[in-house]
Amino acid sequence: MKKYLLPFLLCLVANPVSAELSQQGEFYAKLNVNGQLADEGEDSFSEIRSNNSWIGVKGDIRLQEALSVVYRLEWKVDITGEKGVDNLTERPQYVGLRGRFGELTLGRNFTALWMAQGKIDLYNHYEGDIAAIWKGENRLSDVATYTSPTWHGFHAVLTYQAEKSSAGDDAISAGLFYGDANLKSSAWFVALAQDFDVAGFDVTRASVQHKLGAGKLGIMLQRQDPSAGGDARNGALASYSHRWGEWEWRAQLQSMEDDRTYNLGFDYHLGKQTKVYAWAAHIEQDDNPDRRYLALGFEHKLSIDF
Protein backbone atom coordinates (compact mmCIF):
# COMPACT_ATOMS: atom_id res chain seq x y z
CA MET A 1 0.00 0.00 0.00
CA LYS A 2 2.85 2.38 0.78
CA LYS A 3 3.94 2.47 -2.89
CA TYR A 4 0.74 4.40 -3.67
CA LEU A 5 1.26 6.95 -0.87
CA LEU A 6 3.46 9.50 -2.66
CA PRO A 7 1.29 9.69 -5.83
CA PHE A 8 -1.78 10.15 -3.60
CA LEU A 9 -0.16 13.00 -1.65
CA LEU A 10 0.97 14.72 -4.86
CA CYS A 11 -2.53 14.46 -6.33
CA LEU A 12 -4.02 15.87 -3.15
CA VAL A 13 -1.71 18.87 -3.29
CA ALA A 14 -2.06 19.52 -7.00
CA ASN A 15 -5.81 18.83 -7.33
CA PRO A 16 -7.86 19.61 -4.21
CA VAL A 17 -11.23 17.94 -4.66
CA SER A 18 -13.25 20.77 -3.18
CA ALA A 19 -12.99 24.28 -1.85
CA GLU A 20 -13.18 22.86 1.68
CA LEU A 21 -9.73 21.29 1.21
CA SER A 22 -8.01 24.62 0.50
CA GLN A 23 -5.77 26.09 3.19
CA GLN A 24 -5.82 22.86 5.16
CA GLY A 25 -2.10 22.49 5.60
CA GLU A 26 1.29 22.06 3.98
CA PHE A 27 2.93 19.30 1.95
CA TYR A 28 6.70 19.22 2.51
CA ALA A 29 9.69 17.09 1.62
CA LYS A 30 13.42 16.90 2.17
CA LEU A 31 15.84 15.03 -0.08
CA ASN A 32 19.30 14.50 1.38
CA VAL A 33 21.77 12.13 -0.28
CA ASN A 34 25.53 11.76 -0.13
CA GLY A 35 28.25 9.55 -1.49
CA GLN A 36 30.75 8.45 1.13
CA LEU A 37 33.87 6.45 1.76
CA ALA A 38 33.60 4.27 4.85
CA ASP A 39 36.18 2.40 6.92
CA GLU A 40 34.51 0.33 9.65
CA GLY A 41 37.51 -1.71 10.79
CA GLU A 42 37.95 -3.98 7.78
CA ASP A 43 38.32 -3.03 4.11
CA SER A 44 37.09 0.44 3.18
CA PHE A 45 34.16 0.75 0.78
CA SER A 46 32.03 3.35 -1.00
CA GLU A 47 28.27 3.79 -0.71
CA ILE A 48 25.41 6.16 -1.52
CA ARG A 49 23.36 7.09 1.55
CA SER A 50 19.91 8.64 1.97
CA ASN A 51 20.21 10.60 5.21
CA ASN A 52 16.69 10.58 6.59
CA SER A 53 15.01 12.13 3.60
CA TRP A 54 11.29 12.52 4.25
CA ILE A 55 7.87 13.53 2.95
CA GLY A 56 4.87 14.67 4.94
CA VAL A 57 1.80 16.81 5.42
CA LYS A 58 1.01 18.97 8.44
CA GLY A 59 -1.54 21.57 9.42
CA ASP A 60 -2.80 23.96 12.09
CA ILE A 61 -6.48 24.64 11.37
CA ARG A 62 -8.49 27.10 13.42
CA LEU A 63 -11.78 25.66 14.65
CA GLN A 64 -13.02 28.57 16.75
CA GLU A 65 -11.65 31.40 18.87
CA ALA A 66 -8.36 30.25 20.47
CA LEU A 67 -8.84 26.59 19.44
CA SER A 68 -7.18 24.76 16.56
CA VAL A 69 -6.71 21.20 15.38
CA VAL A 70 -3.11 20.26 14.61
CA TYR A 71 -1.90 17.23 12.68
CA ARG A 72 1.22 15.76 11.13
CA LEU A 73 1.76 12.71 8.93
CA GLU A 74 5.41 12.14 8.05
CA TRP A 75 7.41 9.28 6.53
CA LYS A 76 11.12 8.69 6.17
CA VAL A 77 12.03 7.89 2.55
CA ASP A 78 15.10 5.81 1.69
CA ILE A 79 15.66 7.00 -1.85
CA THR A 80 18.64 4.65 -2.22
CA GLY A 81 16.71 1.56 -1.07
CA GLU A 82 17.07 -1.73 -2.93
CA LYS A 83 14.44 -2.77 -5.46
CA GLY A 84 11.54 -4.62 -3.88
CA VAL A 85 12.29 -3.30 -0.37
CA ASP A 86 9.77 -0.98 1.30
CA ASN A 87 11.52 2.38 1.45
CA LEU A 88 8.99 4.20 3.68
CA THR A 89 9.27 4.29 7.48
CA GLU A 90 6.95 6.06 9.90
CA ARG A 91 8.14 9.28 11.52
CA PRO A 92 6.03 11.67 13.68
CA GLN A 93 2.33 11.07 13.02
CA TYR A 94 -0.27 12.59 15.31
CA VAL A 95 -3.42 14.65 15.67
CA GLY A 96 -4.54 16.90 18.51
CA LEU A 97 -5.80 20.24 19.76
CA ARG A 98 -4.06 23.55 20.48
CA GLY A 99 -5.55 26.32 22.60
CA ARG A 100 -4.98 28.52 25.61
CA PHE A 101 -4.30 25.34 27.62
CA GLY A 102 -1.34 24.50 25.36
CA GLU A 103 -1.24 21.58 22.93
CA LEU A 104 -2.22 17.93 23.35
CA THR A 105 -1.57 15.35 20.62
CA LEU A 106 -1.98 11.57 20.30
CA GLY A 107 -0.05 9.26 18.01
CA ARG A 108 3.66 8.80 17.31
CA ASN A 109 6.15 11.46 18.34
CA PHE A 110 9.63 12.31 19.57
CA THR A 111 10.21 12.33 23.31
CA ALA A 112 10.73 15.47 25.38
CA LEU A 113 14.34 14.38 25.91
CA TRP A 114 14.91 14.10 22.17
CA MET A 115 13.51 17.63 21.75
CA ALA A 116 16.04 18.88 24.32
CA GLN A 117 18.84 18.57 21.75
CA GLY A 118 17.31 21.51 19.84
CA LYS A 119 19.64 22.20 16.89
CA ILE A 120 22.83 21.52 18.85
CA ASP A 121 23.55 18.20 17.12
CA LEU A 122 25.00 19.56 13.87
CA TYR A 123 25.33 16.08 12.37
CA ASN A 124 21.85 14.76 13.08
CA HIS A 125 20.95 11.92 10.65
CA TYR A 126 24.57 11.46 9.49
CA GLU A 127 27.08 8.83 10.66
CA GLY A 128 28.24 11.13 13.48
CA ASP A 129 24.72 11.59 14.89
CA ILE A 130 24.74 11.70 18.70
CA ALA A 131 22.86 8.37 18.65
CA ALA A 132 26.16 6.72 17.65
CA ILE A 133 27.22 6.65 21.33
CA TRP A 134 24.31 8.19 23.33
CA LYS A 135 20.97 6.74 24.37
CA GLY A 136 17.75 8.76 24.31
CA GLU A 137 17.19 9.43 20.60
CA ASN A 138 13.71 7.90 20.64
CA ARG A 139 10.56 8.35 18.58
CA LEU A 140 7.75 6.46 20.30
CA SER A 141 4.39 5.07 19.19
CA ASP A 142 1.25 5.06 21.37
CA VAL A 143 2.12 8.39 23.01
CA ALA A 144 0.29 11.42 24.33
CA THR A 145 2.35 14.62 24.14
CA TYR A 146 1.45 17.74 26.10
CA THR A 147 3.15 21.08 25.43
CA SER A 148 2.38 23.91 27.83
CA PRO A 149 1.78 27.54 26.87
CA THR A 150 4.91 29.73 26.81
CA TRP A 151 5.43 31.92 29.86
CA HIS A 152 8.27 34.49 29.81
CA GLY A 153 10.11 32.33 27.28
CA PHE A 154 9.63 29.06 29.21
CA HIS A 155 7.50 26.07 28.28
CA ALA A 156 7.28 22.41 29.33
CA VAL A 157 6.79 19.17 27.38
CA LEU A 158 5.48 15.88 28.79
CA THR A 159 5.45 12.67 26.75
CA TYR A 160 3.57 9.62 28.05
CA GLN A 161 3.79 6.22 26.36
CA ALA A 162 0.92 3.82 27.13
CA GLU A 163 1.54 0.23 28.25
CA LYS A 164 -0.09 -1.15 25.04
CA SER A 165 -1.06 -4.38 26.85
CA SER A 166 -1.67 -5.78 30.34
CA ALA A 167 1.89 -7.12 30.34
CA GLY A 168 3.44 -3.90 29.06
CA ASP A 169 5.15 -1.01 30.85
CA ASP A 170 4.48 2.67 30.40
CA ALA A 171 7.19 5.32 30.03
CA ILE A 172 7.51 9.06 30.64
CA SER A 173 9.74 11.75 29.19
CA ALA A 174 9.57 15.32 30.54
CA GLY A 175 11.41 18.53 29.77
CA LEU A 176 11.59 22.23 30.61
CA PHE A 177 12.64 24.58 27.80
CA TYR A 178 13.63 28.23 27.41
CA GLY A 179 14.03 30.20 24.21
CA ASP A 180 13.93 29.20 20.57
CA ALA A 181 15.58 26.05 19.21
CA ASN A 182 16.12 27.81 15.86
CA LEU A 183 17.66 30.87 17.57
CA LYS A 184 15.50 33.21 15.49
CA SER A 185 13.31 34.85 18.13
CA SER A 186 15.83 34.39 20.94
CA ALA A 187 19.62 34.29 21.17
CA TRP A 188 19.39 31.43 23.68
CA PHE A 189 18.05 27.89 23.77
CA VAL A 190 18.19 26.07 27.13
CA ALA A 191 16.65 22.70 28.05
CA LEU A 192 16.63 20.20 30.90
CA ALA A 193 14.92 16.84 30.26
CA GLN A 194 14.54 13.40 31.80
CA ASP A 195 13.53 9.99 30.42
CA PHE A 196 11.96 7.57 32.90
CA ASP A 197 12.34 3.96 31.69
CA VAL A 198 12.19 4.89 28.01
CA ALA A 199 13.52 2.11 25.76
CA GLY A 200 15.17 0.55 28.81
CA PHE A 201 17.06 3.63 30.05
CA ASP A 202 16.73 6.51 32.49
CA VAL A 203 18.44 9.48 30.86
CA THR A 204 19.08 13.05 32.01
CA ARG A 205 20.05 15.69 29.44
CA ALA A 206 20.97 19.37 29.90
CA SER A 207 21.44 21.58 26.83
CA VAL A 208 22.35 25.18 26.07
CA GLN A 209 22.95 26.93 22.75
CA HIS A 210 23.80 30.59 22.21
CA LYS A 211 23.96 32.73 19.08
CA LEU A 212 27.20 34.69 18.83
CA GLY A 213 26.87 36.98 15.82
CA ALA A 214 27.29 34.69 12.81
CA GLY A 215 28.23 31.76 15.03
CA LYS A 216 26.31 29.31 17.24
CA LEU A 217 27.86 27.55 20.22
CA GLY A 218 26.12 24.54 21.77
CA ILE A 219 26.84 22.35 24.78
CA MET A 220 25.04 19.22 26.06
CA LEU A 221 25.62 17.07 29.12
CA GLN A 222 24.07 13.62 29.53
CA ARG A 223 23.82 10.86 32.13
CA GLN A 224 22.32 7.52 31.09
CA ASP A 225 21.46 4.63 33.40
CA PRO A 226 19.97 1.22 32.42
CA SER A 227 16.50 0.97 34.00
CA ALA A 228 17.04 -2.69 34.93
CA GLY A 229 20.29 -1.92 36.73
CA GLY A 230 23.88 -1.47 35.65
CA ASP A 231 26.54 1.18 35.51
CA ALA A 232 25.53 4.77 34.80
CA ARG A 233 27.57 6.58 32.15
CA ASN A 234 28.25 10.29 31.66
CA GLY A 235 28.97 12.21 28.50
CA ALA A 236 29.30 15.67 27.01
CA LEU A 237 29.02 17.34 23.61
CA ALA A 238 30.24 20.66 22.22
CA SER A 239 29.37 22.02 18.78
CA TYR A 240 30.10 25.23 16.92
CA SER A 241 28.90 26.49 13.54
CA HIS A 242 29.76 29.72 11.76
CA ARG A 243 28.02 31.27 8.75
CA TRP A 244 30.26 33.22 6.37
CA GLY A 245 28.29 34.34 3.32
CA GLU A 246 27.03 31.21 1.59
CA TRP A 247 29.43 29.01 3.56
CA GLU A 248 28.65 27.44 6.92
CA TRP A 249 31.41 25.64 8.84
CA ARG A 250 30.48 23.01 11.45
CA ALA A 251 32.57 21.26 14.12
CA GLN A 252 31.42 18.85 16.83
CA LEU A 253 33.00 16.75 19.59
CA GLN A 254 31.06 14.22 21.68
CA SER A 255 31.98 11.80 24.47
CA MET A 256 30.40 9.06 26.58
CA GLU A 257 33.00 7.87 29.09
CA ASP A 258 35.81 6.53 26.85
CA ASP A 259 33.74 6.60 23.63
CA ARG A 260 34.23 9.57 21.29
CA THR A 261 32.87 11.06 18.05
CA TYR A 262 34.57 13.78 16.02
CA ASN A 263 32.80 15.62 13.19
CA LEU A 264 34.08 18.38 10.91
CA GLY A 265 32.48 19.74 7.73
CA PHE A 266 30.86 22.55 5.80
CA ASP A 267 27.70 23.46 3.89
CA TYR A 268 27.59 25.67 0.79
CA HIS A 269 24.13 27.17 0.32
CA LEU A 270 22.89 27.47 -3.28
CA GLY A 271 19.65 29.12 -2.08
CA LYS A 272 17.22 28.94 0.81
CA GLN A 273 16.18 25.40 -0.12
CA THR A 274 19.31 23.81 -1.57
CA LYS A 275 22.84 23.16 -0.36
CA VAL A 276 25.87 21.00 -1.04
CA TYR A 277 27.98 19.74 1.84
CA ALA A 278 31.02 17.74 2.85
CA TRP A 279 31.96 16.23 6.20
CA ALA A 280 34.32 13.82 7.89
CA ALA A 281 33.44 11.70 10.95
CA HIS A 282 35.53 9.55 13.29
CA ILE A 283 33.82 7.31 15.87
CA GLU A 284 35.73 5.55 18.66
CA GLN A 285 34.06 2.92 20.89
CA ASP A 286 35.63 0.46 23.32
CA ASP A 287 33.50 -2.46 22.10
CA ASN A 288 33.82 -1.78 18.35
CA PRO A 289 36.57 -1.03 15.83
CA ASP A 290 37.11 2.65 15.06
CA ARG A 291 34.93 3.91 12.22
CA ARG A 292 35.86 6.66 9.74
CA TYR A 293 33.71 8.33 7.09
CA LEU A 294 34.21 10.97 4.41
CA ALA A 295 31.11 12.27 2.58
CA LEU A 296 30.05 14.66 -0.17
CA GLY A 297 26.35 15.27 -0.81
CA PHE A 298 23.48 17.65 -1.39
CA GLU A 299 20.10 18.50 0.08
CA HIS A 300 16.93 20.06 -1.32
CA LYS A 301 13.76 21.02 0.56
CA LEU A 302 10.31 21.93 -0.77
CA SER A 303 6.94 22.89 0.64
CA ILE A 304 3.52 23.56 -0.90
CA ASP A 305 0.50 24.96 0.88
CA PHE A 306 -2.87 23.37 0.10
Side-chain angles (χ1 to χ4, degrees):
M1 180 177 178
K2 288 182 178 178
K3 66 181 179 180
Y4 302 110
L5 178 61
L6 182 56
F8 169 75
L9 290 174
L10 292 175
C11 289
L12 179 65
V13 172
N15 300 292
V17 297
S18 73
E20 293 181 356
L21 288 179
S22 64
Q23 304 303 311
Q24 292 291 297
E26 174 191 3
F27 169 81
Y28 59 93
K30 185 183 84 168
L31 305 174
N32 185 307
V33 184
N34 67 246
Q36 64 185 44
L37 295 175
D39 180 351
E40 297 181 340
E42 298 180 356
D43 292 336
S44 61
F45 58 93
S46 62
E47 59 181 333
I48 306 297
R49 291 291 299 270
S50 175
N51 299 302
N52 221 19
S53 302
W54 57 62
I55 59 171
V57 291
K58 61 182 178 180
D60 179 352
I61 306 166
R62 183 174 177 180
L63 301 175
Q64 53 184 273
E65 185 67 25
L67 185 65
S68 301
V69 60
V70 294
Y71 71 89
R72 182 176 177 181
L73 293 170
E74 185 174 299
W75 292 265
K76 175 182 176 180
V77 184
D78 183 359
I79 56 180
T80 64
E82 296 293 334
K83 181 180 179 181
V85 176
D86 194 345
N87 67 339
L88 291 178
T89 306
E90 294 81 1
R91 280 178 54 83
Q93 298 179 350
Y94 54 76
V95 64
L97 294 174
R98 178 184 296 156
R100 293 190 179 95
F101 60 87
E103 180 182 287
L104 178 63
T105 63
L106 301 175
R108 176 183 289 104
N109 209 344
F110 295 109
T111 64
L113 186 122
W114 184 96
M115 298 176 193
Q117 69 173 266
K119 303 295 183 181
I120 298 173
D121 180 7
L122 303 179
Y123 290 89
N124 192 22
H125 308 316
Y126 299 121
E127 299 288 358
D129 188 307
I130 62 174
I133 61 174
W134 280 13
K135 302 297 182 180
E137 300 304 287
N138 296 305
R139 182 175 62 247
L140 304 178
S141 59
D142 299 279
V143 298
T145 302
Y146 172 71
T147 304
S148 74
T150 299
W151 182 76
H152 294 288
F154 289 91
H155 74 277
V157 177
L158 178 65
T159 307
Y160 172 76
Q161 183 180 41
E163 293 97 333
K164 305 182 186 180
S165 71
S166 59
D169 295 316
D170 59 0
I172 294 175
S173 181
L176 180 64
F177 300 79
Y178 174 81
D180 170 22
N182 294 307
L183 299 181
K184 292 183 178 180
S185 61
S186 170
W188 289 91
F189 170 76
V190 183
L192 178 62
Q194 175 73 42
D195 273 359
F196 300 91
D197 195 16
V198 176
F201 279 84
D202 297 327
V203 182
T204 305
R205 179 177 294 175
S207 309
V208 60
Q209 189 175 32
H210 182 48
K211 189 173 184 179
L212 302 164
K216 297 177 183 178
L217 175 64
I219 296 173
M220 284 197 288
L221 303 176
Q222 176 154 312
R223 180 181 177 85
Q224 55 194 47
D225 190 3
S227 304
D231 294 333
R233 306 183 74 200
N234 299 295
L237 178 146
S239 67
Y240 181 75
S241 64
H242 192 90
R243 185 73 181 260
W244 184 33
E246 303 304 323
W247 296 87
E248 184 173 5
W249 302 90
R250 300 178 286 121
Q252 184 166 296
L253 170 64
Q254 178 193 9
S255 71
M256 178 54 68
E257 300 291 349
D258 293 330
D259 298 340
R260 299 282 190 274
T261 68
Y262 308 87
N263 291 277
L264 183 65
F266 69 84
D267 298 342
Y268 182 75
H269 295 266
L270 299 171
K272 293 183 178 180
Q273 298 172 285
T274 309
K275 68 179 182 181
V276 295
Y277 59 83
W279 52 258
H282 185 158
I283 303 172
E284 299 175 354
Q285 287 182 285
D286 280 346
D287 298 334
N288 295 293
D290 288 359
R291 290 169 281 163
R292 300 176 181 86
Y293 304 91
L294 181 64
L296 175 66
F298 61 90
E299 176 183 286
H300 179 69
K301 297 179 180 179
L302 63 94
S303 63
I304 304 172
D305 293 333
F306 65 90

